[in-house]
Amino acid sequence: MRQSDHISNSAKTPAQASTDDEVIRLWLYGRPLNTERAYLREVERFRNFVQKSLRTVTLGDVQAFADSICEMKSSSVARALAAIKSLMSFAHEIGYVQFNTGTALRLPTVRNRRAERILTEEQVMRMLALTKTPRDHALLRLAYASALRISELASLSWSDLTERGDAGQVSVMAKGGKTHTVLLSVGTWCELVALRKPDSQPDSPVFGSRKGNRLSKAQIHRVVVAAAQRAGIASKVSMHWMRHAHASHALDRGAPIHLVSQTLNHSNLATTSVYVHARPTESSGKYLGV
């Protein structure tokens, strides 16, 4: 190919984006709604700070932004910088910026505090035992048994439940836009089915209010907070703690890590393995004479 042809063909290559807003829209495309909202908050915070186009953002600008939020929790800082790192790397990938400040940006190390957010089996059982409302009990039981996220529990409809023999399964549109299916025990399945009213339609919510409306994530959060308070748990428990408990307790009881990873819908085993490290059952220190 002649050089003139190469230049001509390169000139015909369409630009992937012409404005910062277009880059951000392309970057967020296909992400779960909650992730999209969280990333957008961080990006808007960054844009308000630098007050310039992404095309002229330097590594110094990003580092100055990092310094400006250093008083936030380390996990919040890491989340904000991870979003900016991802955005700038994407902008470079599509040719919108010349220098990839995302590659050069170093993220802070965040201490793994997951062990502090894992309920014991006794605490979970006490929460269930002291929750007398059938709907709330079934909600907590399903959260613990299935490790579904709060958004997945809130969006659950009767059409998402399928009978399988004496028990059944629940299928949801999970994080990443994938359909995720979890098998349920006979007890959990029967308790869920008992909630269904005769006039419920396939698209009716499994967990509804007295007026028949779908419970919001805020309402579901209040259910688990109230259950934790009744059980005398002082920590600020959220529904995600039930997910942590599922992973930790299943591994403690000998469940294969790949099966736990599949149930939690993790993309790789490394994500699931943090639960093993959060509450180890063995340590070489136990073999020392001290």
Side-chain angles (χ1 to χ4, degrees):
M1 179 183 290
R2 293 176 302 175
Q3 185 176 5
S4 59
D5 292 336
H6 176 76
I7 295 174
S8 176
N9 290 338
S10 298
K12 294 178 181 178
T13 303
Q16 301 300 308
S18 57
T19 67
D20 289 1
D21 289 340
E22 284 186 60
V23 174
I24 294 169
R25 178 178 57 79
L26 292 171
W27 172 63
L28 293 174
Y29 179 79
R31 297 183 188 273
L33 183 58
N34 288 342
T35 302
E36 180 180 328
R37 289 172 176 169
Y39 276 17
L40 196 55
R41 281 197 301 270
E42 302 301 348
V43 169
E44 288 307 309
R45 190 207 310 262
F46 174 69
R47 295 177 74 187
N48 289 334
F49 175 82
V50 296
Q51 292 290 308
K52 59 166 64 175
S53 169
L54 295 179
R55 278 181 164 152
T56 59
V57 164
T58 65
L59 179 58
D61 292 328
V62 181
Q63 291 174 339
F65 171 70
D67 290 340
S68 74
I69 61 174
C70 65
E71 296 300 321
M72 295 167 52
K73 292 192 303 183
S74 59
S75 58
S76 298
V77 172
R79 183 173 59 248
L81 296 183
I84 305 309
K85 183 180 179 75
S86 173
L87 172 62
M88 296 308 296
S89 294
F90 177 80
H92 179 263
E93 183 180 337
I94 66 173
Y96 186 73
V97 299
Q98 291 185 342
F99 180 72
N100 187 353
T101 55
T103 298
L105 177 63
R106 296 176 181 174
L107 298 181
T109 301
V110 180
R111 177 185 172 188
N112 183 6
R113 310 188 73 93
R114 184 169 274 110
E116 300 171 14
R117 301 193 297 272
I118 296 178
L119 299 165
T120 66
E121 287 193 55
E122 291 75 17
Q123 287 175 319
V124 173
M125 292 302 108
R126 194 158 65 247
M127 287 171 64
L128 288 170
L130 296 176
T131 300
K132 304 302 182 182
T133 306
R135 182 203 65 190
D136 293 353
H137 190 280
L139 174 60
L140 293 172
R141 183 171 182 172
L142 178 63
Y144 180 56
S146 66
L148 292 179
R149 296 177 172 86
I150 189 170
S151 58
E152 296 163 353
L153 292 166
S155 62
L156 206 60
S157 299
W158 289 111
S159 59
D160 299 321
L161 274 60
T162 305
E163 185 176 359
R164 290 186 59 175
D166 295 333
Q169 67 182 38
V170 56
S171 299
V172 297
M173 185 63 71
K175 189 176 181 179
K178 299 179 293 183
T179 299
H180 178 54
T181 300
V182 179
L183 296 177
L184 303 177
S185 68
V186 174
T188 302
W189 173 258
C190 291
E191 186 170 340
L192 279 175
V193 172
L195 293 178
R196 188 165 190 175
K197 299 177 181 179
D199 59 347
S200 293
Q201 301 300 312
D203 60 348
S204 297
V206 174
F207 302 111
S209 65
R210 293 177 181 177
K211 296 180 179 180
N213 299 321
R214 191 178 298 276
L215 287 186
S216 67
K217 290 189 291 185
Q219 289 172 311
I220 292 177
H221 176 70
R222 287 196 287 271
V223 169
V224 72
V225 168
Q229 290 175 343
R230 284 192 296 269
I233 301 171
S235 303
K236 295 181 179 180
V237 178
S238 70
M239 188 57 78
H240 209 69
W241 285 44
M242 302 297 275
R243 183 174 166 87
H244 293 323
H246 173 109
S248 179
H249 301 170
L251 289 170
D252 286 349
R253 287 177 169 267
I257 190 170
H258 73 273
L259 182 59
V260 177
S261 182
Q262 177 183 322
T263 302
L264 270 67
N265 197 32
H266 284 160
S267 57
N268 57 68
L269 290 179
T271 306
T272 314
S273 67
V274 298
Y275 291 99
V276 179
H277 301 307
R279 290 178 56 180
T281 57
E282 286 292 338
S283 171
S284 57
K286 292 171 60 176
Y287 294 85
L288 303 179
V290 292

